[in-house]
Amino acid sequence: MLVLTGMDLWVSGTGLDRVGGASRPEFWTTVEVAPQPGDQDAPWRLTTLARRGCRPGGNGGWSADSGLPDIAGSAVEGVLLSSAPVGAPRDELHLLMESAHDVGQRAGAALSDPAVWAPGVLDVDGHRFMLWVHHRDEGFAAVADLGPVMVSAHGRTPPSRWAGSLLDPAAARRLLR
């Protein structure tokens, strides 16, 4: 799990999964952190996505990790959906969701285009990783591939500094409890 250095963060969401049926062990798939403990309207959210590889499923199917362009598209969708008006009619929300998905897919597919995604650097424990940042009127989206995990972020304003630490599983479990 990635945490940004020098910030008070709170865990705003987690995801668990189990591949192959109820008898299989659960594992963390995502952990979302945000600044300002207790503030549901944080200026950004950062999600660490565990890499689990390709796994057989209990029904004869299989699961696979998303690629970085897919994660980039989801980050853009997150920016667009965060501006959804509270209490809007269901039809209006449905159209907003479809539009956000379409825009996100197009933006994710353009991940290698520096006119769409500005290349930057994410410092993780003193190691430099590529960070791609997409700016829109609604806010920003960012993605990085750290090897064992991928990260995405989105919000109104990006963190002031893109530097952090990757917590080992034991430290992440302590933080998540």
Side-chain angles (χ1 to χ4, degrees):
M1 172 173 124
L2 181 70
V3 294
L4 295 183
T5 308
M7 296 183 193
D8 252 353
L9 299 175
W10 63 289
V11 177
S12 57
T14 59
L16 289 172
D17 198 358
R18 178 178 306 190
V19 177
S23 64
R24 303 289 184 199
E26 287 184 326
F27 55 84
W28 294 107
T29 57
T30 61
V31 178
E32 182 182 82
V33 296
Q36 304 170 2
D39 183 0
Q40 292 295 325
D41 192 31
W44 54 265
R45 296 182 185 281
L46 183 133
T47 304
T48 303
L49 300 111
R51 277 223 159 109
R52 300 295 170 186
C54 227
R55 294 177 178 241
N59 61 358
W62 50 279
S63 68
D65 294 329
S66 295
L68 199 57
D70 291 338
I71 292 167
S74 294
V76 171
E77 285 180 52
V79 171
L80 296 172
L81 293 175
S82 66
S83 64
V86 176
R90 185 177 184 179
D91 290 344
E92 184 180 323
L93 289 175
H94 184 71
L95 288 174
L96 175 65
M97 289 171 51
E98 284 181 352
S99 174
H101 178 74
D102 291 344
V103 170
Q105 292 299 303
R106 285 193 305 275
L111 186 60
S112 62
D113 183 348
V116 179
W117 291 87
V121 174
L122 171 61
D123 182 297
V124 180
D125 297 317
H127 301 279
R128 295 165 48 97
F129 290 91
M130 286 299 299
L131 175 74
W132 287 271
V133 183
H134 175 74
H135 294 281
R136 316 184 52 78
D137 290 342
E138 299 87 353
F140 81 98
V143 293
D145 185 342
L146 308 184
V149 299
M150 291 185 275
V151 295
S152 74
H154 70 273
R156 290 186 314 277
T157 56
S160 58
R161 187 167 176 254
W162 289 104
S165 290
L166 199 54
L167 298 182
D168 63 68
R173 273 190 220 94
R174 284 192 299 275
L175 182 65
L176 295 172
R177 289 191 178 141

